[in-house]
Amino acid sequence: MEQSLTLKTEYGLSGTSLRFGAIAYGCWRFAGTDVATGTAKIETALESGFTLIDTADIYGTTWPDGFGEAEALLGDVLEANRGLRDNMVLATKGGIVPGQPYSSAKSYLIKACEDSLTRLKTDVIDLYQIHRPDLLTPFEEVADAFNTLLSAGKIRSAGVSNFTTAQTAALQHYMDRPLVSHQPEFSCAETAPITDGILDQAQENNMVAFAWSPLAGGQLVSGKAEAPHADKIKRIVPVLDRIAEENDVDRSAVALAWLLAHPAKVVPIIGTQTLERIRSSADALKVKMTRRDWYDVMEASRGAPMP
Ligand SMILES: NC(=O)c1ccc[n+]([C@@H]2O[C@H](COP(=O)([O-])OP(=O)(O)OC[C@H]3O[C@@H](n4cnc5c(N)ncnc54)[C@H](OP(=O)(O)O)[C@@H]3O)[C@@H](O)[C@H]2O)c1
């Protein structure tokens, strides 16, 4: 019988002692609730093994007025539950500026990071990421901001999100320490990181590839697929459902397992706000998927057999 693909259960950030589960919990949709409800979500994520918590300064209930709300709620959760901070790897992002739309100027990034520290009520951010590349700041200056934050002990590691491989290499050129992570959109409906070089660069440089919207923002599971993914999702869903039935798990577990099976250090960041769905996401780690199963999903996504 064909061997199933290995799903790793834990990863680290290079150059640090930080370790975390192979699925992460994301706070994009986290704001707009009370501390007790927020605490229940974070505790459920940690208990499920999702020990990297990803947020961003821009996450809130509304755009752009909700800037800072998700970090502030997480900060309140951490303040109310003193032990929690030590049990998580805390990741956040800065660099999207309402109305501009981006800045990675050194003075801006340093202030943005300090504001995140204040809202999160913590002394140090484990992973600080630039949310989207600012096309107007020289890479040398962006690196200077990261180098300053690292050497001041305000952040333990630095990463990028929505960067191309060339932008990442240019930034790395000026960094004192390795960039430890990418964060692209990646799901069976959005497979660009497989072919645009992001996952290759992640393997080459020992970076973690955090996959945002790993269920395509819920479209893979809700039955409400929208353009540009709708046709693709119609093809993918029956394949996921077949593998789900064989493994006695739900479709979302298979969609996550498909990401975990890639040989790069892919860490899906789940975004459900439902405690039961947070817990059941851990079923992804039980999925036994063969090479043929994996390529069946890839071919359904492509809409054509592999060449
Ligand atoms: N770097 C970036 O630019 C960027 C951009 C976007 C997101 N992110 C990160 O990625 C994280 C995850 O993104 P995401 O929230 O889009 O991830 P996702 O896990 O793909 O989607 C979560 C959404 O799917 C819904 N969902 C999950 N299971 C469902 C089911 N069985 N039936 C119906 N709906 C279901 C959830 O609703 P319920 O809450 O009702 O379960 C939630 O609205 C964010 O929190 C953030 O940390 C980063």
Side-chain angles (χ1 to χ4, degrees):
M1 194 176 133
E2 201 190 333
Q3 230 185 346
S4 53
L5 300 169
T6 307
L7 308 185
K8 289 177 223 64
T9 55
E10 199 188 57
Y11 286 117
L13 294 174
S14 70
T16 76
S17 56
L18 298 164
R19 308 284 304 168
F20 47 90
I23 296 174
Y25 186 62
C27 295
W28 181 23
R29 305 169 195 271
F30 184 66
T33 185
D34 58 24
V35 175
T37 308
T39 300
K41 291 174 192 173
I42 298 297
E43 284 183 343
T44 303
L46 297 178
E47 283 159 18
S48 304
F50 312 154
T51 47
L52 186 137
I53 306 295
D54 179 73
T55 187
D57 57 9
I58 60 156
Y59 295 164
T61 47
T62 54
W63 173 257
D65 297 340
F67 191 99
E69 285 178 355
E71 283 188 339
L73 175 58
L74 185 54
D76 290 346
V77 167
L78 295 179
E79 186 179 49
N81 304 274
R82 276 294 170 192
L84 278 189
R85 175 68 185 91
D86 295 339
N87 295 333
M88 68 174 62
V89 174
L90 181 57
T92 193
K93 317 178 199 78
I96 297 185
V97 190
Q100 292 210 8
Y102 310 127
S103 178
S104 289
K106 182 181 176 187
S107 57
Y108 177 81
L109 274 188
I110 289 180
K111 172 80 167 59
C113 180
E114 286 167 350
D115 289 349
S116 289
L117 284 164
T118 303
R119 281 189 293 267
L120 290 164
K121 300 190 173 78
T122 188
D123 297 334
V124 60
I125 290 163
D126 296 319
L127 170 63
Y128 194 62
Q129 304 152 100
I130 295 177
H131 207 150
R132 285 193 178 270
D134 172 22
L135 307 180
L136 295 177
T137 306
F139 292 111
E140 189 172 7
E141 181 177 338
V142 183
D144 191 15
F146 267 161
N147 291 336
T148 303
L149 290 167
L150 284 162
S151 61
K154 291 183 178 170
I155 65 174
R156 291 199 165 102
S157 63
V160 291
S161 180
N162 303 301
F163 269 48
T164 66
T165 54
Q167 290 166 335
T168 307
L171 176 57
Q172 182 61 71
H173 177 75
Y174 293 104
M175 294 278 301
D176 294 340
R177 289 205 241 155
L179 291 166
V180 301
S181 61
H182 270 294
Q183 188 177 139
E185 182 178 8
F186 184 28
S187 68
C188 22
E190 178 47 87
T191 59
I194 294 176
T195 50
D196 66 11
I198 293 289
L199 296 185
D200 307 322
Q201 186 176 53
Q203 291 186 72
E204 184 179 357
N205 297 338
N206 194 20
M207 299 166 83
V208 173
F210 293 101
W212 67 258
S213 291
L215 303 177
Q219 292 180 73
L220 280 164
V221 278
S222 66
K224 288 186 217 137
E226 295 154 17
H229 292 323
D231 290 343
K232 226 188 260 190
I233 286 172
K234 267 189 219 144
R235 294 192 302 266
I236 296 168
V237 160
V239 184
L240 295 180
D241 284 348
R242 175 193 46 86
I243 302 168
E245 199 179 328
E246 287 165 9
N247 281 273
D248 196 20
V249 295
D250 66 21
R251 188 192 304 157
S252 60
V254 180
L256 297 174
W258 189 80
L259 299 171
L260 294 168
H262 191 279
K265 292 179 175 176
V266 177
V267 173
I269 312 176
I270 58 163
T272 179
Q273 299 301 306
T274 313
L275 300 187
E276 194 40 50
R277 285 183 192 147
I278 297 174
R279 283 190 202 99
S280 63
S281 300
D283 286 349
L285 294 159
K286 298 187 211 155
V287 173
K288 303 222 174 305
M289 186 179 294
T290 62
R291 188 172 279 269
R292 186 60 259 171
D293 292 332
W294 194 92
Y295 277 111
D296 282 345
V297 176
M298 186 70 198
E299 290 180 346
S301 185
R302 283 164 49 87
M306 299 305 289

